[in-house]
Amino acid sequence: HVKNQGKNNYEFYSSSMNTSIAEKMQILTALHTALENNEFHLTYQPKINIDTNTVYGMEALIRWIHPKLGFISPEIFIPKAEDNGHIYNIGLWVLEKALEDTKKLHDSGFNDLTVSINISSKQLEQNCFLDDFRKIIDKVGLKREFIDLEITETQVMNNIESSLDILRQLSALGIKMSIDDFGTGYSSLNYLKQLPASTIKIDKSFVLDIDKDENDKAIVSSIIALSQSLNKNIVAEGSETEEHIKILKELGVNQVQGYFYSKPLKFEEFESFLKEFR
Ligand code: C2E
Ligand code: MG
Ligand code: MG
Ligand code: MG
């Protein structure tokens, strides 16, 4: 949204603010009809085991391309959808689509892939979530052990009692769980211990400068130590370079996700990626 860059600072500042307010309104209105107008699609980003050099899964990431507004980042529209309740149906759509795509991959021979799906705590707060969730997984028929739900640390911690309850019920169904964006929020170690999550995802903000910033490296090391003592797997997001991968390996991380291996891909591109990687 950098516009009028050649003009003076004041003009640049005010016009970009006006644009962004108008844009915000347009996005809100457009969000009401995005689902019914089929404006969403999913992309998949591979998750790599760097010990065995295999693709063990992928994260489903939603994309919205509006016919007039163009590409709108999920960082922008997901929080809005959480505020106005649209996240519930969007989330069910993501779940069904991601499970169907993964089922296709399993049926074509890639039958050990785990799909990670981002879940907002706003979805979990709805009483009907568990029922709707079960209906979809039963309908699609993908084995539950290959479903991983990513929930951000901040969202879990903000609603800890109700989150714990529903996460335990999901876990009892055989669903896996990951704590997303770990390190960016404030976690009580006591609650962390109680969460049924099997995996901690280190936030990319600690990984992106890991080769330059000793503090980031120290933080990543302590997250790894913590996860080991809690007996949880570690995934490092934001692994962009060979140097990142090398350092992460040295620190004992074996699961990574990031641009070094691949950006999020459309389903057909992801299928090709899998074939080439094998
Ligand atoms: P997230 O769940 O933490 O997803 C990881 C984000 O990091 C993705 O951004 C991904 O494209 C980006 N990323 C992956 N590798 C790299 C890398 O090497 N370098 C950098 N700089 N970035 C990398 P994306 O797709 O824009 O999604 C942003 C956020 O939007 C997600 O963060 C998640 O919180 C939310 N989101 C995306 N799809 C969904 C969804 O279906 N449902 C919900 N509730 N939230 C979603
Ligand atoms: Mg995620
Ligand atoms: Mg994340
Ligand atoms: Mg995030």
Side-chain angles (χ1 to χ4, degrees):
H1 310 292
V2 181
K3 284 175 185 162
N4 301 335
Q5 244 173 339
K7 300 191 179 172
N8 65 55
N9 276 341
Y10 172 74
E11 233 176 273
F12 163 63
Y13 192 59
S14 65
S15 76
S16 79
M17 289 216 335
N18 288 338
T19 309
S20 99
I21 290 165
E23 244 173 34
K24 273 182 196 152
M25 300 296 291
Q26 284 180 309
I27 290 171
L28 267 179
T29 311
L31 203 48
H32 292 300
T33 48
L35 195 58
E36 63 198 61
N37 291 347
N38 292 314
E39 288 163 7
F40 295 120
H41 67 273
L42 292 185
T43 58
Y44 295 96
Q45 188 175 34
K47 293 189 176 190
I48 314 286
N49 182 318
I50 53 179
D51 279 348
T52 58
N53 207 33
T54 50
V55 184
Y56 68 92
M58 63 286 184
E59 178 173 7
L61 293 158
I62 195 169
R63 293 292 176 262
W64 181 20
I65 299 173
H66 184 269
K68 288 210 185 74
L69 302 171
F71 171 80
I72 303 162
S73 164
E75 308 255 23
I76 305 278
F77 75 81
I78 292 288
K80 295 192 197 311
E82 286 173 346
D83 286 346
N84 65 20
H86 288 309
I87 192 66
Y88 192 77
N89 285 329
I90 294 173
L92 291 181
W93 177 84
V94 170
L95 178 73
E96 183 162 359
K97 183 75 181 131
L99 296 187
E100 281 170 354
D101 284 346
T102 308
K103 182 72 167 55
K104 263 188 231 163
L105 293 170
H106 276 226
D107 290 346
S108 71
F110 296 102
N111 56 8
D112 54 3
L113 292 175
T114 292
V115 64
S116 298
I117 297 162
N118 292 287
I119 298 284
S120 156
S121 63
K122 290 281 184 285
Q123 292 171 259
L124 301 180
E125 279 167 16
Q126 297 291 318
N127 289 331
C128 43
F129 178 76
L130 214 58
D131 268 354
D132 287 340
F133 184 86
R134 270 161 83 155
K135 271 182 210 141
I136 292 173
I137 55 175
D138 289 347
K139 186 175 112 186
V140 178
L142 180 73
K143 284 192 196 140
R144 293 169 185 187
E145 63 194 282
F146 296 108
I147 306 172
D148 170 53
L149 303 183
E150 295 192 2
I151 303 164
T152 68
E153 181 193 19
T154 314
Q155 292 199 347
V156 175
M157 292 303 152
N158 283 344
N159 311 274
I160 189 71
E161 293 305 336
S162 62
S163 296
L164 263 181
D165 184 52
I166 185 134
L167 294 180
R168 284 186 180 134
Q169 294 186 61
L170 286 164
S171 176
L173 291 177
I175 305 294
K176 298 212 170 77
M177 262 156 282
S178 299
I179 307 173
D180 207 348
D181 300 352
F182 190 80
T184 57
Y186 171 81
S187 280
S188 147
L189 297 184
N190 191 37
Y191 282 125
L192 194 58
K193 189 180 74 180
Q194 296 178 52
L195 281 175
S198 57
T199 302
I200 287 176
K201 290 189 83 178
I202 305 177
D203 190 68
K204 56 177 173 284
S205 59
F206 303 112
V207 177
L208 290 171
D209 288 330
I210 199 170
D211 48 341
K212 296 179 203 86
D213 188 331
E214 282 300 319
N215 289 328
D216 284 346
K217 197 170 168 182
I219 291 168
V220 171
S221 289
S222 34
I223 296 176
I224 293 164
L226 178 68
S227 68
Q228 281 165 350
S229 53
L230 293 172
N231 212 6
K232 298 190 191 294
N233 303 315
I234 280 275
V235 178
E237 305 183 324
S239 318
E240 290 191 352
T241 65
E242 194 154 19
E243 187 66 11
H244 290 159
I245 305 288
K246 187 173 154 257
I247 295 169
L248 290 165
K249 218 174 197 167
E250 281 164 11
L251 293 175
V253 174
N254 55 28
Q255 298 178 334
V256 304
Q257 180 183 342
Y259 296 167
F260 178 69
Y261 284 102
S262 175
K263 297 207 165 184
L265 302 169
K266 291 188 179 144
F267 180 72
E268 292 75 21
E269 295 168 338
F270 180 63
E271 263 184 319
S272 308
F273 180 92
L274 287 172
K275 285 173 190 151
E276 277 164 36
F277 208 90
R278 188 163 63 180

